[in-house]
Amino acid sequence: MPRPYNNNFNNKFDMDNSKTLMYRDENDFIRKLRSLKTYCPQSYKDFIFNFSKESYFELVDGRYSKDIFTSNEFRFIYGQIRLIYSIKDRTIIIEDLEPSQFLLDGYMTKLETYKTMFYRNKKDKFKIDLMFSLKENSRKEIIL
C-alpha cells in the first residue's frame, strides 16, 4: 500500500525552530495573495521563491517592507507591490501586502481588462490612457 504524500505546500516559509511566522490577519493576507496570483503572476512567483528564504527577513526587531517584482505599467497605475512585515522577539508577523485595495477588489470581483491592463473603475481607465499616451509621445520624440 503506498504511503500518503505529506508534503505541505501551504507553508511557504521554511524556517528553523528559532523563528516563527504569524499573520496580523491571515484570511486577509490569503485573499490578497490569491488575487496577486491571478492578476500579477510574475510578482506572485517572485514572492513565493524569494520570500521563502529565511535569510531574506531582518533579524532585528522593527517594522520592514520589502519590494516585490512589479512591472512598470502596474507600478504606474497602482503602485509598487510590497510586503509589509514586522519582527518582534524573532517572530515574523506578516502585516500587509500592498496595494491592498486593488488586491481585495480583485479578489471580490473578477476585474475587466482595458488595453491589456486590469481596471476597477473610471479612474484606473484614465491612468491607463494616460500611461499609453505618455508612452506614445515619448516614442514620437525619439523618432523626431
Side-chain angles (χ1 to χ4, degrees):
M1 187 156 132
R3 292 186 334 204
Y5 192 68
N6 291 327
N7 193 354
N8 184 5
F9 291 106
N10 293 329
N11 187 7
K12 305 288 189 260
F13 300 93
D14 186 22
M15 291 180 252
D16 58 358
N17 294 333
S18 62
K19 286 194 252 180
T20 57
L21 177 70
M22 296 175 57
Y23 299 92
R24 186 181 61 157
D25 186 1
E26 186 173 4
N27 291 333
D28 187 51
F29 180 75
I30 289 173
R31 287 179 186 142
K32 291 175 185 176
L33 195 60
R34 286 179 182 166
S35 180
L36 183 70
K37 184 178 183 180
T38 303
Y39 298 110
C40 304
Q42 287 181 321
S43 302
Y44 176 78
K45 287 180 181 181
D46 180 52
F47 175 77
I48 294 301
F49 291 121
N50 291 335
F51 284 85
S52 62
K53 298 177 179 80
E54 66 181 81
S55 63
Y56 199 74
F57 294 102
E58 302 287 333
L59 297 176
V60 182
D61 288 356
R63 189 165 191 230
Y64 303 96
S65 69
K66 294 285 185 181
D67 290 343
I68 299 172
F69 169 79
T70 309
S71 67
N72 292 333
E73 293 84 7
F74 190 90
R75 186 180 301 123
F76 182 84
I77 297 170
Y78 301 109
Q80 176 69 36
I81 299 173
R82 67 175 46 103
L83 175 72
I84 298 175
Y85 66 96
S86 61
I87 297 187
K88 185 174 182 182
D89 299 328
R90 297 185 59 85
T91 301
I92 300 170
I93 302 168
I94 306 270
E95 293 183 7
D96 200 7
L97 188 61
E98 293 181 346
S100 58
Q101 194 58 45
F102 171 79
L103 294 173
L104 287 176
D105 289 345
Y107 180 79
M108 296 298 175
T109 61
K110 185 173 180 341
L111 299 179
E112 299 291 323
T113 56
Y114 177 69
K115 295 184 179 181
T116 70
M117 294 292 298
F118 292 102
Y119 73 95
R120 298 172 293 174
N121 50 28
K122 290 181 181 180
K123 182 179 175 183
D124 292 345
K125 272 186 160 180
F126 174 76
K127 288 181 182 179
I128 293 169
D129 286 334
L130 178 65
M131 178 187 65
F132 280 107
S133 67
L134 289 174
K135 279 186 176 181
E136 188 175 312
N137 288 340
S138 67
R139 287 186 194 139
K140 286 180 182 178
E141 289 176 4
I142 293 173
I143 293 172
L144 296 175

